[in-house]
Amino acid sequence: MDERIKLSRIEERLDDLSYPLTRDDAATKLADVTILMADGEANLGELVSEVGSDSFTSSGDLYEELQNVMPVEAIGEPGQSEGDA
């Protein structure tokens, strides 16, 4: 059964996994999870398969790695900055 979660719920979903965990195992366990983003969606298992680390000791480790492979659609308006204008 496919699971659809909002972007803001990724950390909670990662907390459901048992650690330590390899990248391949995490990708397999999250293959049926779709992330709903500001402008589109992505498969969480596929994103996990793209991270640089081979294993994770905690959900925080995995979440940090995911931040580096998230598509621009995950953060909203492309080209927008939180800095001063």
Side-chain angles (χ1 to χ4, degrees):
M1 183 169 106
D2 289 344
E3 179 181 357
R4 299 171 66 81
I5 62 172
K6 292 184 180 181
L7 182 62
S8 62
R9 301 287 184 210
I10 290 177
E11 289 180 272
E12 292 174 17
R13 184 61 179 88
L14 298 179
D15 284 342
D16 292 341
L17 302 175
S18 296
Y19 296 87
L21 186 66
T22 65
R23 177 181 55 216
D24 291 341
D25 286 344
T28 299
K29 291 177 187 232
L30 298 170
D32 65 342
V33 179
T34 300
I35 303 169
L36 307 174
M37 299 178 289
D39 188 20
E41 54 187 48
N43 180 276
L44 185 54
E46 289 176 16
L47 291 175
V48 169
S49 71
E50 296 173 12
V51 301
S53 295
D54 291 329
S55 63
F56 313 97
T57 58
S58 70
S59 60
D61 289 345
L62 179 50
Y63 183 73
E64 283 182 32
E65 289 282 334
L66 278 170
Q67 297 301 306
N68 296 322
V69 297
M70 285 288 196
V72 69
E73 293 85 7
I75 56 174
E77 295 290 326
Q80 295 294 316
S81 170
E82 292 184 31
D84 294 335

